Amino acid sequence: MPDTPLKLFNSLTRSIETFVPVHAGEARVYSCGPTVYNYPHIGNMRAYVFADVLGRVLSYSGYKLTHVINITDVGHLTDDADAGEDKLEKAAKSSAQSIWDIARHYTEAYWSDIKALNIRGPMQMGVQDERNWSIATDYIPQMIAFATSIAPEHCYELPSGLYFDVSSVADYGRLARAHTDEGEGRIDPVDGKRNAADFAIWRKTPEGETRQMEWDSPWGRGAPGWHLECSVMSGALLGFPFDIHTGGIDHREIHHPNEIAQNQAHCCTNGLDVAANSGARIWMHNNFLVERSGKMSKSSGEFLRLQLLIDRGYHPLAYRMMCLQAHYRSELEFSWEGLGAALTRLKRMVMGVETLKARHAELVSASIAPPTSAVRGEEWTLKQVQGDVGEKLAQFVQRFEAAISDDLNTAVALTVLEEVVALKKVDAGEKLAAIAAMDAVMGFGLLNLDRKDLRIRPKDAELTGEHVDASIAFRKELRAQQNFPALDRLRDELAAKGVEVMDGDPLGWDWKLG
Ligand code: AMP
Ligand code: ZN
């Protein structure tokens, strides 16, 4: 286990706490995943980059990680507080496709973004395991069983479905710092609710209507409420109480307080002075990615999907860098300039690592240095790297560990990693090992990235990379000959094809979209 205790901010207690696992040597984490009715925007992806880094820190610290991420394909209404339509039913209606096709399409789009951002999939005891993508509609019988068990003491029926009475559990709303009677201001179309914050556990299909997704239940044909699925799947796959529950900061207000109330009803009943009674010991929330104009949205303004960034020529890991430069609890503003700066930073690192790899390879081929495990691309833990580096690098490893253990301070950890990349007069193999270990947490795959992959390469640029390379080599010749008129002509030709040549850039940014 790490020398520095891992400290994490618990939203439930609003304080930094030392991570003490429920099961020795293990870490069990549940992350609220996407609602698959549309493409995720890059704000959504911030939530998964954050959960990924948390998982990587836990793995690196030596815990066997079990990480469950859910896919919401039913139950999430257009308003988190039980108002509006089911997001998937609505999407299916407006596109005239089957709801199952919609769910599959957007789940795959989400998986593709996850992969592009080097976000690890779910894990089971330290090994990636696809089965821990928990898909809500796979758990309907368990949801009905869960609801049946809590209904007599905690729920009541209305014509529209089964509702949870939030006054039936102690400390309702503590996570949001809200109370039972709050929420009066919310748009609330349901007549007969006992408290404004009461929420649907089961939504009956209105008479005369059929939904594409509906099941029989003791409360009539219908569909589960959104909050139910996360209680059921986290309890089923991780057991109550588990270690950490994550989500975006919006979930701190409605979704997670409601999950907690259900968990209390199901397993714990007592109040929340003991955090584990909430179902998880620690609740963590990432802050929002925002646009200059305000909240990120899928419907208004420019729909910032990861694919848009890629189409404009930015490597997706530039976005990962952008996320890691900020603390996950701070709001982060997206801008194209910021993305460009993050890409430059990543490229600097990759160039440093490329030079180091080349030097190390020379030493190995001259039999001066042994091959290091770093180039074999293993998964790293703190213990491994501590045995692999000498005193000088060990100090950096320690600083890195201190940063990530300080509530995942990736911004500071990145600067330590950069210092190591720039470090002179250290053994190349050891340096590679230290970088590989730190990168196992930051998740760039630095040892396998090629600087050429990081070039800004817009989809609609007319020229291929090879063309541009050749033109730039030619420009260098022209410059050596001081043939300035020809140089200017070539620059204009390239500009006409959407390529802006950036002379004299120390990083060798050869071209970018003009
Ligand atoms: P959804 O697909 O809407 O259920 O959201 C998926 C995840 O993204 C949830 O954890 C949300 O809290 C989170 N989220 C939504 N918008 C943003 C944003 N702009 N920045 C960061 N996280 C977000
Ligand atoms: Zn959830």
Side-chain angles (χ1 to χ4, degrees):
M1 292 305 119
D3 296 337
T4 321
L6 175 58
K7 307 258 188 188
L8 300 170
F9 184 82
N10 188 351
S11 303
L12 187 57
T13 57
R14 296 286 201 275
S15 63
I16 298 270
E17 294 177 9
T18 300
F19 176 74
V20 181
V22 176
H23 304 270
E26 275 190 55
R28 301 188 186 185
V29 180
Y30 183 90
S31 296
C32 282
T35 306
V36 285
Y37 71 105
N38 200 340
Y39 295 105
H41 57 52
I42 54 172
N44 299 130
M45 299 318 291
R46 187 181 186 199
Y48 311 121
V49 170
F50 150 65
D52 180 56
V53 169
L54 171 67
R56 285 169 180 271
V57 167
L58 290 163
S59 298
Y60 179 79
S61 306
Y63 297 105
K64 288 244 172 293
L65 175 69
T66 296
H67 191 180
V68 173
I69 309 171
N70 80 293
I71 305 279
T72 297
D73 57 354
V74 68
H76 194 171
L77 302 194
T78 43
D79 182 289
D80 281 358
D82 281 338
E85 271 185 274
D86 185 298
K87 289 187 174 189
L88 271 116
E89 291 275 351
K90 189 175 168 207
K93 258 189 236 158
S94 61
S95 69
Q97 285 184 63
S98 113
I99 212 164
W100 302 99
D101 287 344
I102 299 247
R104 190 174 324 108
H105 177 78
Y106 292 117
T107 303
E108 277 166 12
Y110 160 75
W111 280 336
S112 146
D113 284 1
I114 292 279
K115 210 165 150 214
L117 289 169
N118 283 357
I119 292 170
R120 301 192 302 188
M123 315 272 289
Q124 181 67 33
M125 289 295 279
V127 180
Q128 291 209 46
D129 191 332
E130 297 289 306
R131 283 171 302 179
N132 280 348
W133 286 118
S134 59
I135 297 177
T137 47
D138 288 346
Y139 286 81
I140 301 292
Q142 290 91 325
M143 290 189 217
I144 293 174
F146 187 110
T148 306
S149 75
I150 65 170
E153 269 188 65
H154 300 277
C155 304
Y156 56 94
E157 251 186 289
L158 292 177
S160 55
L162 184 70
Y163 284 81
F164 190 96
D165 179 346
V166 297
S167 66
S168 71
V169 290
D171 304 325
Y172 174 76
R174 181 177 288 192
L175 181 68
R177 299 292 185 266
H179 303 285
T180 326
D181 54 354
E182 281 185 16
E184 298 286 357
R186 290 181 198 157
I187 309 156
D188 186 359
V190 183
D191 284 337
K193 286 208 310 195
R194 294 180 190 164
N195 311 284
D198 289 354
F199 56 91
I201 292 272
W202 189 265
R203 290 174 303 112
K204 265 191 236 179
T205 307
E207 292 256 332
E209 270 184 36
T210 347
R211 288 184 181 141
Q212 285 194 40
M213 280 184 175
E214 54 179 14
W215 296 265
D216 287 323
S217 83
W219 318 283
R221 205 161 166 72
W226 170 41
H227 317 296
L228 184 60
E229 68 178 70
C230 287
S231 283
V232 168
M233 295 189 290
S234 61
L237 293 163
L238 299 174
F240 290 127
F242 55 92
D243 294 299
I244 304 173
H245 195 310
T246 79
I249 197 148
D250 51 333
H251 289 349
R252 204 181 67 180
E253 307 308 313
I254 299 174
H255 180 47
H256 290 169
N258 291 353
E259 250 188 89
I260 288 175
Q262 292 167 158
N263 296 350
Q264 285 176 274
H266 182 72
C267 69
C268 315
T269 57
N270 292 321
L272 298 176
D273 287 341
V274 176
N277 286 346
S278 68
R281 281 207 178 151
I282 300 184
W283 293 76
M284 293 178 76
H285 297 95
N286 62 281
N287 210 324
F288 265 19
L289 179 79
V290 294
E291 289 180 79
R292 211 157 282 173
S293 56
K295 199 180 166 217
M296 191 150 294
S297 155
K298 298 183 188 187
S299 48
S300 63
E302 193 169 42
F303 183 1
L304 286 169
R305 279 177 61 193
L306 192 64
Q307 191 57 46
L308 179 68
L309 275 45
I310 297 169
D311 289 349
R312 294 223 176 144
Y314 294 89
H315 195 283
L317 290 175
Y319 179 65
R320 185 175 177 103
M321 172 65 88
M322 200 177 181
C323 291
L324 299 191
Q325 289 178 161
H327 192 266
Y328 74 91
R329 282 197 286 126
S330 311
E331 206 169 74
L332 172 61
E333 186 178 293
F334 177 79
S335 71
W336 292 99
E337 302 77 47
L339 185 68
L343 180 62
T344 303
R345 193 171 182 190
L346 181 60
K347 191 173 180 190
R348 263 180 215 278
M349 278 191 199
V350 169
M351 286 163 65
V353 171
E354 272 180 0
T355 311
L356 176 65
K357 274 195 322 197
R359 188 156 65 91
H360 183 249
E362 272 171 28
L363 296 173
V364 172
S365 68
S367 303
I368 296 170
T372 145
S373 45
V375 273
R376 292 202 301 267
E378 287 176 6
E379 293 244 321
W380 284 87
T381 65
L382 185 63
K383 239 194 206 132
Q384 282 169 320
V385 74
Q386 274 169 343
D388 260 339
V389 299
E391 214 175 298
K392 188 165 180 188
L393 277 165
Q395 290 170 17
F396 288 88
V397 171
Q398 238 162 42
R399 279 176 52 214
F400 180 84
E401 189 201 329
I404 56 171
S405 304
D406 177 17
D407 194 26
L408 316 181
N409 197 335
T410 50
V412 170
L414 269 175
T415 61
V416 180
L417 172 54
E418 278 167 331
E419 283 179 52
V420 171
V421 173
L423 208 56
K424 301 268 184 317
K425 296 192 184 138
V426 282
D427 178 88
E430 282 184 28
K431 193 168 148 178
L432 267 182
I435 292 170
M438 292 177 185
D439 185 54
V441 176
M442 307 317 273
F444 295 117
L446 281 178
L447 269 62
N448 300 316
L449 274 176
D450 187 325
R451 60 192 280 188
K452 285 206 167 117
D453 299 337
L454 297 178
R455 274 195 180 144
I456 298 195
R457 187 166 295 171
K459 190 177 145 199
D460 55 5
E462 279 179 37
L463 296 172
T464 63
E466 289 67 35
H467 263 111
V468 177
D469 284 348
S471 307
I472 283 165
F474 185 44
R475 286 189 90 242
K476 280 189 187 138
E477 268 174 46
L478 293 174
R479 189 170 317 114
Q481 296 161 10
Q482 305 206 333
N483 186 348
F484 297 111
L487 255 178
D488 288 344
R489 261 198 316 277
L490 185 55
R491 169 187 284 264
D492 292 344
E493 272 170 38
L494 285 168
K497 290 180 172 143
V499 177
E500 183 190 326
V501 179
M502 299 164 76
D503 284 325
D505 182 334
L507 283 184
W509 277 121
D510 307 322
W511 57 296
K512 69 167 195 147
L513 183 68

